[in-house]
Amino acid sequence: MKSNDTWLNILVSYAYIGNNKMFTEQTMSLSQQGIINCMIDSGAFTLFNSKQDLKFLTLDNYCDYILKHGHNVEKYVMLDVIGNHSKSKANYETMLQRGLDPMFVFTMFDNDYSYLQDAVKRNKHVCVAGGVTTKGEWIQKRYQDVYKQTKGNIHALGFVKYPQMLQLPLHSCDSSSWVQSSQKYGNIMYFDNGLKSLDYKAILKGKTKIPFKAQMIFEQLEITPKMFSNIDNHRGSKSIAVLTNLIAYFEYQKFCKRLGLNLFLAVANRQQLTHIIKTNELLENKLTYEIWKKELS
């Protein structure tokens, strides 16, 4: 296992990286260099919801992948079976028999705390499922109950509800909203004691005023009103939102790190990972929207 002391935490899913040699090499190299801290998810949730052909995503293949690359990352997750915690436990035990030490996944309908306690004795890091679809009191109590029973390092899968994520006994969590918010919804994010969101269409129509903090960010990135009004700058992987959202989530990761929570950004391909790394590098020097677009071309 390789745990790097950095706020730049990246989560990769075997569903996306497992069949991609170049993506694997890029990720493992960044982890080996200490540039990122990496966590490998099994891809069980993706497999459950995907209509794509993921025949390679089997327990045997996943075990082989972890045996080859697991030493390069901080932690990796067992391959659970959503909706079947008995099958999940069978998979977990198979991984143990193969000499692996995965994070156990406490699935939503599993209440076998005795088994969970034994798992945490092997690996203090444990995943608690349910955060993607459940954000209310149930899942928050679930995290508290798991911590009381195990005192383990809880990773909240897909749970990034602010400020509760910082008030609960969590060690880490993960989010894919950094990319979904920009490329899927077109929202412009900025960090101001928590993530704030702007609808660029509402701004263009004069329905929303740009807050002072967002104005400062636009000025630093040299985004002029004319550039903001150009609809082409709100499309694709090099949109204004992609850049501002990356900067916002970098601030968010640093903020969480200072408060003892490790926030992982989930990436689905090499382009997303490259955008993260390149943007972080550019932030150390002079970064403008035009420079950023040119560097990523």
Side-chain angles (χ1 to χ4, degrees):
M1 298 291 194
K2 192 175 193 309
S3 180
N4 297 318
D5 185 18
T6 175
W7 54 267
L8 190 52
N9 301 307
I10 300 296
L11 182 145
V12 291
S13 170
Y14 179 69
Y16 302 124
I17 200 172
N19 221 18
N20 190 319
K21 182 179 179 182
M22 293 181 69
F23 190 13
T24 293
E25 290 176 348
Q26 179 189 26
T27 304
M28 298 308 152
S29 175
L30 289 168
S31 180
Q32 288 172 347
Q33 295 174 64
I35 296 172
I36 65 172
N37 201 39
C38 184
M39 172 178 171
I40 301 178
D41 181 41
S42 68
F45 189 75
T46 302
L47 180 64
F48 180 75
N49 290 287
S50 180
K51 296 180 181 178
Q52 301 176 4
D53 182 5
L54 295 175
K55 291 181 180 178
F56 74 90
L57 209 170
T58 65
L59 181 60
D60 281 343
N61 287 344
Y62 183 53
C63 287
D64 289 342
Y65 186 87
I66 296 300
L67 284 167
K68 186 174 182 179
H69 301 290
H71 65 284
N72 290 321
V73 301
E74 182 195 39
K75 48 194 176 185
Y76 52 85
V77 184
M78 61 166 283
L79 178 60
D80 59 305
V81 180
I82 295 176
N84 190 334
H85 52 260
S86 60
K87 176 61 176 173
S88 294
K89 289 175 182 174
N91 282 0
Y92 173 69
E93 289 169 9
T94 297
M95 294 185 75
L96 293 179
Q97 290 166 7
R98 293 197 60 176
L100 299 173
D101 187 23
M103 297 171 69
F104 183 73
V105 177
F106 200 45
T107 54
M108 287 185 67
F109 302 104
D110 190 353
N111 290 304
D112 189 348
Y113 281 97
S114 177
Y115 193 95
L116 177 64
Q117 289 167 351
D118 287 340
V120 174
K121 289 176 183 177
R122 291 178 177 272
N123 186 336
K124 64 181 180 179
H125 294 275
V126 57
C127 289
V128 177
V132 174
T133 55
T134 310
K135 306 293 182 184
E137 292 183 4
W138 182 89
I139 191 65
Q140 293 176 48
K141 184 177 184 302
R142 182 77 160 174
Y143 297 140
Q144 292 169 336
D145 289 344
V146 169
Y147 184 75
K148 288 176 183 177
Q149 293 286 339
T150 66
K151 296 298 187 294
N153 290 344
I154 298 173
H155 180 90
L157 289 165
F159 185 86
V160 283
K161 186 175 181 180
Y162 182 88
Q164 286 85 348
M165 57 193 275
L166 294 163
Q167 298 167 341
L168 291 161
L170 303 178
H171 180 268
S172 58
C173 61
D174 64 87
S175 172
S176 59
S177 57
W178 71 272
V179 65
Q180 292 177 349
S181 59
S182 59
Q183 296 192 24
K184 188 174 181 180
Y185 303 110
N187 293 333
I188 293 175
M189 311 291 292
Y190 64 99
F191 187 83
D192 189 9
N193 290 321
L195 289 175
K196 307 294 171 59
S197 176
L198 296 170
D199 182 346
Y200 79 88
K201 293 179 182 178
I203 294 173
L204 292 176
K205 292 177 181 178
K207 295 181 179 180
T208 299
K209 292 184 178 180
I210 303 176
F212 178 74
K213 178 66 181 289
Q215 290 180 29
M216 293 294 294
I217 294 171
F218 292 158
E219 287 180 15
Q220 291 168 3
L221 298 175
E222 298 182 7
I223 298 173
T224 65
K226 182 178 180 180
M227 292 165 64
F228 193 89
S229 298
N230 184 347
I231 200 67
D232 288 336
N233 289 332
H234 297 284
R235 294 172 174 162
S237 62
K238 299 184 185 68
S239 70
I240 288 172
V242 171
L243 175 55
T244 59
N245 292 12
L246 271 173
I247 294 172
Y249 270 89
F250 288 163
E251 288 190 57
Y252 201 17
Q253 284 187 298
K254 293 174 184 177
F255 177 76
C256 288
K257 183 75 172 180
R258 290 195 297 270
L259 295 179
L261 178 70
N262 296 298
L263 172 59
F264 284 75
L265 302 186
V267 298
N269 51 54
R270 289 183 65 218
Q271 182 189 60
Q272 291 178 4
L273 183 55
T274 298
H275 275 199
I276 288 173
I277 300 304
K278 193 64 179 179
T279 303
N280 186 45
E281 290 175 353
L282 290 170
L283 275 170
E284 297 178 0
N285 300 296
K286 181 175 176 57
L287 174 61
T288 70
Y289 180 53
E290 289 298 327
I291 289 174
W292 180 77
K293 285 199 299 182
K294 182 179 179 181
E295 288 292 326
L296 290 177
S297 295

